[in-house]
Amino acid sequence: MPQPAYQTKQWYQRRVRGIKENWLSFVNMTRAKSESHGSVAQSWDTITNVLSMTLIILTALTTISTLLPIPTFVGTIIGAVATIVSAINGSLNPSVRRQQQMEAAKGFKALMLKMVRVETEREYEELWKEYNKELLGEPFLPKKFKVKDNTHFTMSPEFEMVVCAKEAEVAEMLGNLGMTDPCEDVIVSNPNCDEKCVEDAPKVDVSATIKSGISTENIEMKSI
């Protein structure tokens, strides 16, 4: 009796390898996003300080212009410029944007640190759920601030076994029809499916009726 696919040595090896690769991808992504949002927050902080100081200076000059014996239009011009700067500050609202970017940076950094110290598989799965939620609420990130990170994902071992079994099933059907070599089809379609993986996959009997011209024949297929 063949051993179930989820109890084979290859299944455990692939599961461990997949978890390691996805763990590393998680840490790299969260670190990159934390750095990116931190850079954007610093930019908005600089804009906030510049606009605030400019507005304070212009307001002070407007007040002083009313006390000094200078032409009236000078005070009017300074007041107009102060109004424009105030409108720009209110429209951009840089302090709020800075706070949003800082919260996003802290959130991704916290996820990275949690994943670094993760101890159980359940905590690992929960952190991926938290990461997906964090992405939904992530503020806009300008393209020039994005940190390039070549992140690679791997298919989960469970789903990989399903795909392997499905491809083997189709390959056997085509092989019975004389259309292609079933072994070559499996290897080309999914190089991760080795012979041992194919042998250990669960057996499923499927009855298919294939019509060709006026002839009809029943073909019994087994997923490899």
Side-chain angles (χ1 to χ4, degrees):
M1 182 178 180
Q3 189 178 16
Y6 58 85
Q7 295 180 0
T8 61
K9 179 180 179 180
Q10 287 76 11
W11 184 88
Y12 286 109
Q13 290 176 343
R14 289 177 182 174
R15 180 166 182 81
V16 173
R17 183 171 64 251
I19 290 177
K20 287 183 178 179
E21 293 177 356
N22 289 334
W23 178 91
L24 183 60
S25 297
F26 185 99
V27 173
N28 291 335
M29 285 188 304
T30 50
R31 182 177 61 242
K33 285 186 173 294
S34 177
E35 293 176 355
S36 299
H37 287 290
S39 299
V40 177
Q42 291 178 356
S43 299
W44 282 116
D45 183 66
T46 301
I47 295 174
T48 301
N49 295 333
V50 171
L51 290 177
S52 298
M53 293 302 298
T54 303
L55 189 58
I56 291 173
I57 294 173
L58 290 174
T59 303
L61 291 176
T62 302
T63 304
I64 293 174
S65 65
T66 60
L67 302 176
L68 297 177
I70 59 176
T72 307
F73 72 89
V74 175
T76 304
I77 293 175
I78 296 175
V81 174
T83 303
I84 293 174
V85 173
S86 178
I88 294 174
N89 185 55
S91 177
L92 292 178
N93 208 353
S95 59
V96 175
R97 294 174 184 264
R98 177 191 60 187
Q99 185 64 27
Q100 291 176 347
Q101 296 293 340
M102 283 299 300
E103 290 178 357
K106 291 179 181 178
F108 284 112
K109 189 172 184 179
L111 287 176
M112 182 194 71
L113 296 176
K114 289 180 181 179
M115 181 60 79
V116 170
R117 302 301 301 170
V118 72
E119 296 181 355
T120 63
E121 185 175 356
R122 182 175 181 180
E123 293 177 355
Y124 170 82
E125 298 293 342
E126 290 297 326
L127 285 176
W128 273 106
K129 293 179 181 179
E130 292 183 19
Y131 175 76
N132 293 332
K133 293 180 180 178
E134 194 73 25
L135 286 179
L136 296 177
E138 181 183 11
F140 174 74
L141 191 64
K143 185 176 181 180
K144 65 178 181 179
F145 288 102
K146 290 183 178 179
V147 178
K148 295 183 180 179
D149 179 61
N150 297 324
T151 303
H152 302 283
F153 292 97
T154 59
M155 188 182 299
S156 64
E158 295 86 353
F159 188 66
E160 183 180 338
M161 296 297 295
V162 173
V163 173
C164 181
K166 290 293 183 181
E167 290 183 346
E169 181 180 325
V170 174
E172 183 176 355
M173 181 186 69
L174 296 177
N176 291 333
L177 294 176
M179 297 177 63
T180 184
D181 185 358
C183 295
E184 292 181 358
D185 186 74
V186 173
I187 295 175
V188 173
S189 300
N190 191 346
N192 293 327
C193 295
D194 51 17
E195 295 181 358
K196 183 64 178 177
C197 167
V198 173
E199 292 177 358
D200 292 335
K203 305 296 182 178
V204 180
D205 293 332
V206 181
S207 178
T209 302
I210 302 177
K211 297 182 179 180
S212 176
I214 59 175
S215 63
T216 303
E217 57 180 354
N218 291 329
I219 301 178
E220 182 182 4
M221 298 181 300
K222 295 183 179 180
S223 64
I224 300 178

